[in-house]
Amino acid sequence: MEIFTMMNRKKGYNQVAYVRRSTDPVDPLLIGGRDGPVRIKTVTVTTKSGDKYEMPVDGNGKVPKEYIYARFLDESSGSKTGRPRSVAVDLATDARRVFDYPEKGFTPKELIETGWWQYPNESDIYGVDDTSMAGSLALMLEKAGRGVQESGKRIVLMMPEESAKRVWRILRDDFTASELKRAVKDGGLVIREGNPGKGAGGYYAGRFESSSVKTPLIVLGPNWDEDTLVHEFTHHLRQTDSTRGGVVRTPFRLNEKGERKSYYAGQESEYNSARNLEEAATVAEAATRTREPCGWPTGYYEHTPAHGNTLKERYAYDRELLAGDRPRKGRAAEKRVSSKFEDTSISHLRYYFPGSNAESYYKRRKSDGTLPVASKPARKTRSKPGSVPASVRPVAASANVRRYRRYRHRDPDPKTISGLRAFLPFIKPAIFMTAIFLACSFPIPRPSASGGSPP
C-alpha cells in the first residue's frame, strides 16, 4: 500500500520551491464590534511539483494551531483520490508517520515538508489528529447522546478541559442532536478561547468564497457566558443549515457551496442592512434558546428604541416574548423566532449604517420574495403499521416487472464496447486458424489394409 501511495504522488510534492506573501479577505461577525472586512496574513507556498497552498501565518511567521485544526477538519480537501476524507477514520487509525508538534509551532515550509498539509490522512501530528485525541474526546463526551458524540468528532475545542466541558454542556442543552449534526455536515468547526478584539465578547468567521480557509471558527472572549456561545453557534447554523429559511437563515449571499460571497463598492447600504438583520435575528434566537436569562444583555439593545427605556428592559421584554418560562430548541426555536421576530425590540436594530434597520430590511426582502428558502430535510421512510415490507410483497405478473436483485445494474462501459468491436474482424480468422492447427496436431485414425481396426 505504501508503494502504491508513493507511485501516485507527484515528484517533489513535499519539496518547497518558493514562498510568497499574500492575504485572505474575511468578514467576521463580532458581538459589539463595528469591524468590517479584515485581511488574514497568509503565504502562498509553491512546491517543486507545481502545487500551490495558501496558508495563514501569525506575526512570527508560524501557522496558528487553529488553522492546522481547520485544515484537518476540512474533509473536502487534502485527499489524493479526490473523494472527501473522513475525520472519524483518521482519529481512529494509527498512522505510519507521526510528527511532534514543535514547541514554537510550524512554519509553512516545515509543514509542507512533512507532507501532512497536503494529505492529512496519510500521517498524524501529535495533539492534532493522532489516536490519543479520539480518547480524550470520548471522555469529554461520555455523558452526551450518540448523536452529539458523532458530531463532536468534527468540533475541536482549543481551551482548558473545564471550559471544554462547559461548552459541550451548553451545546447539548440548547441545541438538538439533529442541529449539531447539520452544523458539521459539510465540514468541522473550531471553537477556541481568545481575544476577539475591540472589546467584543466573541466572533464567528464562517466559510468565505474569497478565503482559502474553509473551516469556520468561533472565538470566545475571556468572560464568555452561555449567551455568547449560543449567539456565535447560532450564526454558524444560520449559514450552514440549508433546511432553514426566512428570518432564521442568514440574509447574506451564499454560493452553491454555502460560502459567503463578497460585496462590492457601492453596495455598502445593502451589506449593512443585511448585517443588521443577521445580528438582530441571531440575538432573538439566542434569547429563545438559553436556559438562563443573560446577566448583562448584548450592547445591541442600546440601538433598539422600542419596548423599554434601558438595555435591560428591552432584553427582558424580548426574553419574555420569545422564551417565557420555557426556552426552546430545534424547530420549535426556529418557529418561535419566525412568528415573533417583528414584535421584538431587537428587530428595530440599526447598528451598522448606512443601511436600513433589521425590521425594514426584513419586510422589504419578504415583499420582494428574496428571503432564503429552506430546502427539505432528508427523512427516513418508515413503513405504515400493518403494511407488508416490499421484500415480501408478491410481484405482479407482468413482463415489464423485474424481480428485486441484490446487485446493482450497471451499463457497459462505452469504451469497452468500442474496443471489442475493433477486434470483431479478427475473430473469425482466428477461429479458422485454431481449427486447422488442432486438425494438424491430432490426425484422424484410418483403418488398416487388412480391414481390421487400428491398434
Side-chain angles (χ1 to χ4, degrees):
M1 182 64 185
E2 185 67 18
I3 295 176
F4 178 79
T5 301
M6 294 300 294
M7 289 174 61
N8 280 271
R9 291 183 182 143
K10 294 181 181 179
K11 186 177 181 180
Y13 82 103
N14 63 342
Q15 298 176 11
V16 176
Y18 52 88
V19 179
R20 290 180 177 173
R21 296 180 181 179
S22 54
T23 56
D24 254 358
V26 297
D27 186 11
L29 299 173
L30 297 140
I31 297 181
R34 288 189 180 276
D35 283 355
V38 298
R39 293 185 178 274
I40 298 175
K41 186 184 298 184
T42 64
V43 297
T44 301
V45 181
T46 303
T47 64
K48 290 186 177 180
S49 62
D51 296 320
K52 295 184 178 181
Y53 300 93
E54 189 173 9
M55 307 169 69
V57 292
D58 58 19
N60 298 319
K62 308 289 186 179
V63 180
K65 197 168 187 178
E66 61 262 32
Y67 291 114
I68 294 179
Y69 281 122
R71 176 67 174 179
F72 169 60
L73 294 173
D74 184 9
E75 294 180 314
S76 62
S77 62
S79 172
K80 185 172 68 279
T81 62
R83 296 190 297 268
R85 297 181 291 108
S86 172
V87 168
V89 171
D90 196 333
L91 286 173
T93 307
D94 287 313
R96 294 185 180 182
R97 295 176 299 149
V98 182
F99 302 98
D100 289 319
Y101 196 93
E103 184 179 350
K104 295 183 179 180
F106 282 106
T107 65
K109 184 175 183 291
E110 291 170 344
L111 204 49
I112 288 295
E113 287 174 346
T114 64
W116 184 91
W117 187 271
Q118 298 90 309
Y119 306 114
N121 58 337
E122 293 187 2
S123 60
D124 285 346
I125 297 176
Y126 279 121
V128 177
D129 62 336
D130 63 297
T131 52
S132 66
M133 294 297 293
S136 60
L137 265 177
L139 290 174
M140 209 175 296
L141 299 173
E142 60 183 354
K143 295 183 179 179
R146 184 176 179 181
V148 177
Q149 290 179 358
E150 289 301 314
S151 303
K153 295 178 182 178
R154 295 166 178 251
I155 300 176
V156 170
L157 304 181
M158 299 180 62
M159 58 190 67
E161 184 177 352
E162 288 302 315
S163 296
K165 289 181 178 179
R166 185 174 159 215
V167 166
W168 285 124
R169 178 181 56 79
I170 293 172
L171 293 180
R172 184 185 65 233
D173 292 345
D174 296 357
F175 298 89
T176 65
S178 297
E179 287 179 312
L180 295 177
K181 185 177 180 180
R182 291 194 296 271
V184 294
K185 180 175 68 70
D186 297 324
L189 172 67
V190 177
I191 305 177
R192 72 172 176 88
E193 289 183 334
N195 180 14
K198 304 266 185 175
Y203 77 78
Y204 168 71
R207 291 195 297 269
F208 293 87
E209 189 177 51
S210 59
S211 174
S212 61
V213 180
K214 300 302 182 183
T215 300
L217 171 67
I218 290 176
V219 177
L220 303 174
N223 300 316
W224 67 274
D225 56 10
E226 180 188 12
D227 184 72
T228 307
L229 176 59
V230 173
H231 182 99
E232 302 303 346
F233 198 83
T234 300
H235 271 312
H236 178 63
L237 276 176
R238 289 172 58 83
Q239 179 171 339
T240 58
D241 186 2
S242 61
T243 65
R244 289 167 163 249
V247 72
V248 296
R249 177 76 159 152
T250 183
F252 294 121
R253 301 178 303 177
L254 305 177
N255 63 14
E256 64 279 359
K257 296 180 181 179
E259 301 167 351
R260 272 181 58 184
K261 294 183 177 180
S262 300
Y263 286 81
Y264 303 100
Q267 298 179 318
E268 290 84 358
S269 179
E270 178 74 15
Y271 169 68
N272 288 325
S273 299
R275 290 196 78 179
N276 286 328
L277 177 57
E278 172 67 20
E279 293 297 342
T282 303
V283 169
E285 189 167 337
T288 307
R289 290 178 179 273
T290 50
R291 303 293 98 184
E292 299 294 333
C294 184
W296 186 258
T298 172
Y300 287 131
Y301 277 102
E302 294 179 356
H303 306 270
T304 58
H307 304 297
N309 297 319
T310 65
L311 178 148
K312 289 189 174 182
E313 288 178 358
R314 295 164 187 168
Y315 170 76
Y317 175 86
D318 284 356
R319 172 73 181 184
E320 179 63 28
L321 175 69
L322 295 167
D325 57 354
R326 187 170 62 89
R328 296 162 173 82
K329 58 182 178 179
R331 299 298 184 196
E334 295 176 26
K335 291 178 182 178
R336 190 68 175 177
V337 174
S338 297
S339 62
K340 298 293 184 180
F341 178 71
E342 294 181 64
D343 300 327
T344 62
S345 171
I346 198 65
S347 66
H348 299 272
L349 177 68
R350 187 169 181 259
Y351 186 74
Y352 301 99
F353 49 85
S356 306
N357 68 21
E359 182 186 26
S360 300
Y361 183 68
Y362 169 68
K363 288 181 177 179
R364 176 166 68 83
R365 292 279 298 267
K366 188 176 181 179
S367 63
D368 294 344
T370 57
L371 285 174
V373 179
S375 63
K376 292 183 179 180
R379 295 182 179 179
K380 295 181 179 179
T381 57
R382 297 181 180 178
S383 57
K384 297 180 181 179
S387 63
V388 181
S391 58
V392 296
R393 290 177 189 163
V395 180
S398 171
N400 295 327
V401 178
R402 297 182 179 180
R403 289 185 178 273
Y404 175 78
R405 292 184 175 90
R406 296 186 66 181
Y407 63 87
R408 186 176 63 180
H409 172 74
R410 293 182 179 179
D411 294 328
D413 186 7
K415 294 183 179 179
T416 304
I417 294 176
S418 61
L420 291 175
R421 286 176 178 172
F423 283 99
L424 285 178
F426 304 99
I427 292 178
K428 288 184 178 180
I431 294 174
F432 179 72
M433 295 299 294
T434 303
I436 294 176
F437 173 76
L438 292 175
C440 294
S441 301
F442 303 99
I444 300 174
R446 299 188 178 185
S448 60
S450 58
S453 59

